[in-house]
Amino acid sequence: MPFIRGNVTYARFRIGGDAPARIDQSLLDALTSGRLVPTVGVPTDVETGWTAGEHILDHEFAWDRCVFDGRVHAAMRMDAVRVPSEIRAAYVAQEQAALRKATADRAGDAVDGLPAKPLGRNARREAKEAAERRWLEEVSDGRYRSSKLVPMLWDPATATILAPATSEKVFDALRDLFQATFGARLQGQSAGALALDLLVAKGIASAFDEAMPDAFTAAPTPRTLDQSAEVGERPDVPWAMAGPEPKDFLGNVFLLWLWWHAEANEGLFDLSDGRSVSMMVDRTIDMECAWGVTGRQSLRGDGPGRSAEASKALQQGKWPRKIGFTMADGEAEWTFELQGDRFRVGGLKLPRPEERPGSEHEAISQRIESTFDVDAILLELYGRFLDERFSGTWNTRRGELREWIASKNTARVMATV
């Protein structure tokens, strides 16, 4: 399961309102009170409640099981009743067949067991209602219930939650459950929302509203006449414009910035805590045309960032949507994928500790600390990118990015398009 074992996937969420700012027994009691007691006999769309994180029936909200160095690990259980469409169709067909046979037997005009006339509207409605009664009886016995576990890491000190709530439905469920339990709001932090928070902290939020996508290449040649009217000198970044936050394109430029650093500056960054980290593009690059003209492209293989395919894609106006990275600080190494516009981390492989942990609690604590370490590094690098993007030096950096894209023509590596 993410966070306590295996690879980690998460999106970032900010807590607003009167959420607890520290961990005490009342917080664990609130989680306990919010555990899911499944409704029996009523087909519900979605039911949610808290678990202690180990599995869907884990209700032991103990301090030593849920609290790790000032952070909370718990999980949301999502239950839904889903009668398979094949079952619904089969039951309706059986009820219709039974009605046809009964009608034919009464009329005495069955031929080879089939009625002479099709069922009328009322008979079809009767068959549908009978079929529905059958599957509702099975639902009341507990059948057709599916459960999903959505773990979360909660850092009250920074009012941040990390959770693999990457679909709208899962996020809505987590948001509603959190608000019902703690009376606080949960807001997704895509690249645009995160940028606004960071710029507000720097006192330059007004620059956020004025941010527009940069043209790092000339506009691509339209493929159709319909596209001709839509292509301008500046890309419109259709995936960001279609989403809830139009400024999410900043996350894609951040990926481009990291990619450039990886090739032009060996991906080396000095962090505020005194460490140095290296970022290397590795295994995966997903790209899409920022003008909505040249389509999408996925590259897989060793060193995809230096491939001829990647160079051509950039020169055709494609921007990175997701990039795989290897990040190292000299002591630990992490591999993961970062989706720029949504600022989501996927497939994060955490380093194994040099020494075997003394307990399961210690092992989980080390994993949680390592996960937040990656998040803090990415947050610092994103903040550094924003410092450049919203400063007077950006024109120079943008020119360097343009020159880098124009000059890219590296040897081809194994890649799948």
Side-chain angles (χ1 to χ4, degrees):
M1 178 190 300
F3 301 134
I4 64 175
R5 64 178 67 90
N7 293 346
V8 172
T9 293
Y10 70 83
R12 302 185 91 258
F13 302 95
R14 179 169 60 86
I15 303 170
D18 298 326
R22 62 186 182 89
I23 303 173
D24 55 23
Q25 188 58 45
S26 64
L27 187 151
L28 297 180
D29 291 343
L31 291 171
T32 302
S33 299
R35 66 187 183 276
L36 176 60
V37 179
T39 302
V40 177
V42 179
T44 310
D45 182 26
V46 175
E47 292 181 313
T48 61
W50 299 111
T51 83
E54 178 70 20
H55 48 74
I56 64 171
L57 302 179
D58 182 10
H59 295 151
E60 190 179 347
F61 295 92
W63 194 274
D64 62 342
R65 299 189 73 251
C66 296
V67 181
F68 301 87
D69 296 327
R71 290 148 178 160
V72 177
H73 176 262
M76 174 182 69
R77 173 181 171 179
M78 287 182 66
D79 277 18
V81 172
R82 294 288 184 270
V83 181
S85 58
E86 293 82 358
I87 293 291
R88 294 173 182 261
Y91 283 3
V92 170
Q94 287 180 340
E95 295 298 332
Q96 288 180 345
L99 282 177
R100 284 196 298 266
K101 185 177 186 304
T103 301
D105 288 343
R106 287 194 299 269
D109 58 357
V111 179
D112 294 331
L114 296 176
K117 296 180 180 180
L119 292 176
R121 179 181 301 177
N122 291 338
R124 292 197 302 273
R125 184 188 311 113
E126 181 182 345
K128 183 178 180 180
E129 292 173 350
E132 185 174 357
R133 287 193 296 272
R134 288 177 62 183
W135 69 62
L136 287 180
E137 288 177 1
E138 293 175 340
V139 166
S140 67
D141 292 335
R143 294 182 62 179
Y144 309 125
R145 178 180 291 272
S146 62
S147 298
K148 179 182 180 68
L149 197 66
V150 183
M152 74 165 184
L153 291 179
W154 177 6
D155 185 3
T158 61
T160 300
I161 283 180
L162 308 182
T166 54
S167 72
E168 184 176 351
K169 187 170 187 177
V170 174
F171 166 64
D172 289 347
L174 181 61
R175 178 200 60 204
D176 293 346
L177 178 61
F178 195 86
Q179 184 167 10
T181 306
F182 299 104
R185 301 183 305 276
L186 201 60
Q187 300 172 328
Q189 282 196 309
S190 62
L194 181 56
L196 179 58
D197 288 344
L198 294 174
L199 292 173
V200 166
K202 297 174 186 291
I204 52 174
S206 59
F208 178 82
D209 294 330
E210 300 171 1
M212 299 292 288
D214 298 283
F216 298 103
T217 63
T221 302
R223 293 176 173 176
T224 66
L225 292 177
D226 291 339
Q227 291 176 334
S228 299
E230 301 175 0
V231 176
E233 295 183 358
R234 187 187 298 273
D236 55 8
V237 195
W239 61 85
M241 293 300 295
E245 176 48 74
K247 308 300 185 184
D248 281 345
F249 71 84
L250 290 168
N252 303 109
V253 182
F254 174 53
L255 289 184
L256 189 68
W257 183 81
L258 288 174
W259 186 355
W260 170 77
H261 265 286
E263 294 191 4
N265 299 319
E266 298 182 342
L268 296 176
F269 297 92
D270 293 326
L271 302 180
S272 58
D273 62 6
R275 287 183 297 171
S276 293
V277 296
S278 63
M279 297 281 289
M280 181 179 70
V281 176
D282 187 33
R283 305 297 299 175
T284 301
I285 301 178
D286 290 344
M287 307 179 71
E288 186 171 348
C289 181
W291 276 268
V293 173
T294 61
R296 302 178 181 180
Q297 178 170 276
S298 295
L299 302 174
R300 302 291 185 271
D302 295 330
R306 297 184 180 274
S307 68
E309 291 88 346
S311 302
K312 183 177 180 180
L314 285 172
Q315 291 160 6
Q316 290 177 336
K318 291 184 175 68
W319 285 11
R321 295 288 307 275
K322 181 191 297 181
I323 292 183
F325 290 102
T326 295
M327 183 172 71
D329 66 356
E331 295 182 0
E333 181 178 285
W334 303 266
T335 60
F336 57 89
E337 294 178 350
L338 177 61
Q339 183 179 348
D341 45 295
R342 306 307 298 165
F343 215 86
R344 292 172 180 166
V345 171
L348 170 60
K349 186 176 181 180
L350 300 172
R352 291 185 178 181
E354 294 183 1
E355 298 182 3
R356 185 172 182 176
S359 65
E360 183 179 4
H361 187 276
E362 182 181 348
I364 295 174
S365 182
Q366 289 177 356
R367 285 180 57 86
I368 291 175
E369 182 63 34
S370 187
T371 300
F372 273 105
D373 196 14
V374 169
D375 187 65
I377 293 172
L378 290 176
L379 203 61
E380 180 171 343
L381 294 181
Y382 191 46
R384 192 169 304 180
F385 158 75
L386 293 173
D387 287 342
E388 283 193 7
R389 177 61 180 76
F390 292 95
S391 73
T393 65
W394 180 243
N395 287 337
T396 300
R397 182 68 77 213
R398 181 173 52 201
E400 292 175 339
L401 290 169
R402 286 172 173 168
E403 292 177 4
W404 169 68
I405 291 173
S407 64
K408 276 181 68 67
N409 187 19
T410 57
R412 181 176 181 138
V413 298
M414 292 298 295
T416 302
V417 180

